Amino acid sequence: MSAAAAAGTWKLGDLEVNRIGYGAMRLTGNGMMGNSDGTPIDRDVAVGLLHSAFEEGVNHIDTASFYFSPLRSANELINRALSSWSGDVVVVTKVGPGRDPSGEWLDTVRPDQLRGQVEENLRQLGRDCLDVVNLRAGGPRTASIAEHFGALADLREAGLVRHLGLSGVLPEHVLAAQKIAPVVCVQNSYGLDWRRADESGLVDLCGEQGIAFVPFFAVSGLRREAAAGQEHDARVHSVADAHRATPAQVRLAWTLHRGPHVLAIPGTRNPAHLAENIAAGSLRLTEEELALLDKPDEGTD
């Protein structure tokens, strides 16, 4: 069994993936806007990192055409890596937000502009059909996604997209979208320190509907795109010490324990962190440890 398969598998529609995947946002820098002026990651190093992930069983990559810095594009790096890889890898991208070539964020995209964004991903990834496309909503306060999701459903019928998902949504958005076309995954910010998707019932709804729930910022939490820093949660340190694991591994394991439909897409440019993230899939937390992590943090160490 590969390392990434230790946590089991889940199906995105008819595409079976290991529950430990990889998020490509950090490949071009520290997030979508940070670190853009720093030294870009070497292309061969980036491709090697992706190949290392594939070799460990990672077969689910999360990306977007708007993941780029002045000299690097996540989609381009993934394209290069997949062109020299013989195995099957499911690539999940997202549309909705957009940036101009200089990196400036554009106004909210209209439904009729989604085809252009899908085609942009097709060109960059070198694909004729995208495995999964997530509609990134304008945020939980978005009133309706029906028109935008309907436009993507039309592209699915046209053969440009295989499966559809959602990102940054509430339960009512999922239910509305399901009436238009099948939803195979939902991506929302979620982790030990950010439990809005529990409070809204979204995680449970996805499980009931057979939809993958794919949290982002599961490790960084409220730090979001910020670089990984020192762990200050005493609960996490306690569990990590008991398993001789890292705090990041404990945070990922806690997320995966939330349900068999919950996937993980941690991203990194560090080969050692990549190996640690993948190994988190084999970490089994006890009921007592899960209860401890669910208690309020009692301080730092």
Side-chain angles (χ1 to χ4, degrees):
M1 177 188 295
S2 66
T9 63
W10 190 263
K11 282 192 173 183
L12 302 176
D14 61 344
L15 303 172
E16 187 169 11
V17 298
N18 292 324
R19 291 178 66 207
I20 291 283
Y22 177 83
M25 183 179 66
R26 297 188 187 278
L27 264 187
T28 66
N30 182 29
M32 291 177 284
M33 294 177 287
N35 200 27
S36 293
D37 296 327
T39 303
I41 187 171
D42 182 85
R43 283 186 169 86
D44 289 339
V45 171
V47 170
L49 186 77
L50 288 167
H51 281 173
S52 295
F54 300 158
E55 289 164 1
E56 292 300 318
V58 170
N59 57 3
H60 169 208
I61 301 290
D62 176 76
T63 186
S65 63
F66 51 82
Y67 289 172
F68 67 85
S69 58
L71 297 176
R72 295 292 182 268
S73 156
N75 278 357
E76 175 225 339
L77 296 172
I78 293 169
N79 188 342
R80 287 187 178 219
L82 291 176
S83 67
S84 52
W85 181 258
S86 59
D88 293 328
V89 177
V90 175
V91 178
V92 180
T93 189
K94 60 189 71 67
V95 296
R99 298 166 72 192
D100 67 21
S102 69
E104 293 296 320
W105 289 98
L106 303 172
D107 293 335
T108 303
V109 66
R110 301 189 310 270
D112 63 300
Q113 294 175 310
L114 289 174
R115 184 181 184 108
Q117 290 192 340
V118 166
E119 291 173 344
E120 181 181 24
N121 279 280
L122 287 167
R123 285 190 298 270
Q124 292 176 354
L125 292 167
R127 298 289 184 93
D128 295 322
C129 177
L130 298 174
D131 294 327
V132 183
V133 171
N134 288 328
L135 173 64
R136 173 71 174 168
R141 295 181 181 178
T142 302
S144 174
I145 62 167
E147 194 173 356
H148 286 77
F149 197 75
L152 285 183
D154 291 341
L155 297 178
R156 176 175 173 265
E157 289 298 317
L160 298 183
V161 179
R162 191 165 183 170
H163 298 296
L164 299 176
L166 296 168
S167 179
V169 294
L170 291 172
E172 52 262 38
H173 297 130
V174 177
L175 295 174
Q178 284 277 66
K179 295 178 181 179
I180 298 170
V183 175
V184 302
C185 58
V186 171
Q187 282 189 4
N188 270 46
S189 179
Y190 178 76
L192 190 58
D193 303 325
W194 187 254
R195 307 279 293 276
R196 293 285 179 85
D198 278 336
E199 296 166 8
S200 69
L202 182 61
V203 179
D204 289 335
L205 173 66
C206 287
E208 294 164 3
Q209 298 268 333
I211 299 171
F213 182 75
V214 189
F216 53 87
F217 301 140
V219 174
S220 60
L222 297 176
R223 297 171 62 85
R224 299 177 67 80
E225 291 186 16
Q230 183 178 357
E231 176 63 64
H232 294 292
D233 192 318
R235 305 165 302 168
V236 175
H237 275 296
S238 175
V239 176
D241 290 345
H243 289 272
R244 296 183 179 180
T246 68
Q249 288 177 315
V250 171
R251 286 180 174 272
L252 287 171
W254 176 87
T255 304
L256 291 169
H257 277 71
R258 187 60 183 80
H261 66 296
V262 178
L263 311 185
I265 49 170
T268 182
R269 300 195 303 171
N270 185 311
H273 290 166
L274 174 68
E276 290 173 358
N277 291 341
I278 296 173
S282 61
L283 184 58
R284 301 292 182 263
L285 304 181
T286 66
E287 292 298 326
E288 292 77 12
E289 289 167 339
L290 290 170
L292 172 65
L293 291 171
D294 281 333
K295 291 180 180 179
D297 183 18
E298 297 178 352
T300 60
D301 54 47

